Amino acid sequence: MAPYTVLLLVAGVIPIGYAVETSLQKAPTELDPTTGFGGIDSFRDVVTDFRFVDTFTNILSVLVVWLPIMMIGIVGLALLLHASPGRFGATMRFLYFIPGALAGIANLVLWVYLLNPSQSPVQGLWHALGITTIKQAVVAPHQLPLILAAMMFFQGAGSWVMVVNGGLNGISEEVLEAARLDGANAWHLAWHVKLPIIRPWVGYAALMNLAYGFQLFLEPQLLDQVASNALPDQWTPTQLGYAFAFSNFNFPAAAAMSLILLVITLGIGLVIVFRSGLFGKEDH
């Protein structure tokens, strides 16, 4: 436990404590350059900011599309791989993992190529939709959440398929053989045997993907740049926190924004943990 405890302190407890301390400070302004204890003023500034609700609405619009597709895709592909042993299954595991091996920037460059109607291999589809520039593709109404959901799915699905497949590989062959002797077919095995056993693995995948979704920053930030700044600069909560820190130089508000995100993700995470039995004890 000692190495983990050190990492938890360095990467978790200490930064959170520093964020709490910073959020309770008073941000200097041109009219009042003094600093000191500011109480919950930074949280009030964040919550009452005109961009606050919009950023959460935007990120929820992505999560509503992406997270169900992500989880269904992860579990479905993992079950298919587990039912396909041998060279074919190994080959498919490798192919699924390739997109996840790409760095975030490389993945974005690939998607910029796909979204550019003048170069995209699916340019016929873009032209059929009346879209001739990447700016139009990105800023079209209700299209950005779908684009971000697709980017996040293809980048992360392969890695999580490997994780869930690891949980499936841990199922005792005796359990599966007993189910087959009781007359279970492939569908029965997947739905009534495998899924209940790997529920903690699925819960872990949902928890980590949910946390990643709330921290979305790189993709909308760079898509805004390739679209000639046609998107709002603060489209997600993390972008708003970045703006507080480096545009408004209001570091207490940026710290408060990070703590608000922490509380939200922890709250949802606790629900997932208790509902999935992620850290529960196995019954023998």
Side-chain angles (χ1 to χ4, degrees):
M1 292 292 291
Y4 171 76
T5 303
V6 173
L7 288 174
L8 178 63
L9 288 172
V10 173
V13 176
I14 294 176
I16 292 173
Y18 178 72
V20 172
E21 180 185 3
T22 304
S23 67
L24 297 176
Q25 299 299 311
K26 179 181 177 183
T29 63
E30 294 182 359
L31 297 178
D32 186 8
T34 60
T35 59
F37 182 73
I40 62 171
D41 288 346
S42 59
F43 291 91
R44 187 182 299 110
D45 292 340
V46 170
V47 174
T48 57
D49 189 279
F50 70 95
R51 301 162 292 185
F52 179 78
V53 175
D54 289 341
T55 59
F56 279 96
T57 302
N58 293 335
I59 202 67
L60 287 175
S61 69
V62 177
L63 290 174
V64 166
V65 176
W66 166 67
L67 196 57
I69 295 175
M70 187 73 166
M71 296 312 303
I72 293 173
I74 289 172
V75 175
L77 291 173
L79 289 171
L80 287 173
L81 285 178
H82 190 255
S84 305
R87 182 174 298 178
F88 175 77
T91 302
M92 296 308 297
R93 281 194 295 271
F94 174 74
L95 293 177
Y96 289 146
F97 184 75
I98 290 177
L102 295 174
I105 297 297
N107 182 63
L108 180 77
V109 171
L110 173 63
W111 276 94
V112 168
Y113 173 68
L114 291 174
L115 294 172
N116 191 344
S118 63
Q119 301 175 341
S120 175
V122 292
Q123 59 179 308
L125 173 63
W126 292 121
H127 292 159
L129 296 174
I131 296 174
T132 58
T133 66
I134 189 171
K135 180 177 179 180
Q136 290 177 317
V138 172
V139 303
H142 310 298
Q143 198 150 280
L144 184 58
L146 300 178
I147 292 174
L148 291 172
M151 293 174 67
M152 295 162 67
F153 176 83
F154 285 105
Q155 183 176 2
S159 302
W160 285 107
V161 167
M162 299 301 102
V163 172
V164 177
N165 187 67
L168 289 168
N169 289 333
I171 300 176
S172 172
E173 185 61 34
E174 287 78 6
V175 173
L176 300 178
E177 185 63 28
R180 294 190 187 98
L181 291 176
D182 287 338
N185 57 26
W187 171 256
H188 294 146
L189 281 175
W191 187 257
H192 297 290
V193 179
K194 295 180 181 180
L195 272 180
I197 293 177
I198 65 168
R199 188 175 65 173
W201 297 79
V202 176
Y204 175 68
L207 177 61
M208 299 305 294
N209 278 284
L210 181 71
Y212 174 74
F214 269 104
Q215 297 172 21
L216 188 62
F217 177 83
L218 177 66
E219 288 83 356
Q221 185 81 1
L222 296 182
L223 280 178
D224 180 40
Q225 296 181 16
V226 300
S228 304
N229 298 317
L231 299 174
D233 293 333
Q234 294 81 45
W235 200 82
T236 66
T238 51
Q239 286 181 295
L240 179 57
Y242 181 86
F244 277 132
F246 300 105
S247 296
N248 302 342
F249 300 102
N250 189 342
F251 289 96
M257 188 71 193
S258 67
L259 291 173
I260 290 172
L261 281 173
L262 176 66
V263 170
I264 292 174
T265 52
L266 278 180
I268 300 176
L270 287 173
V271 173
I272 294 176
V273 166
F274 287 114
R275 295 290 295 178
S276 66
L278 181 58
F279 299 116
K281 296 181 179 179
E282 294 183 0
D283 295 327
H284 297 283

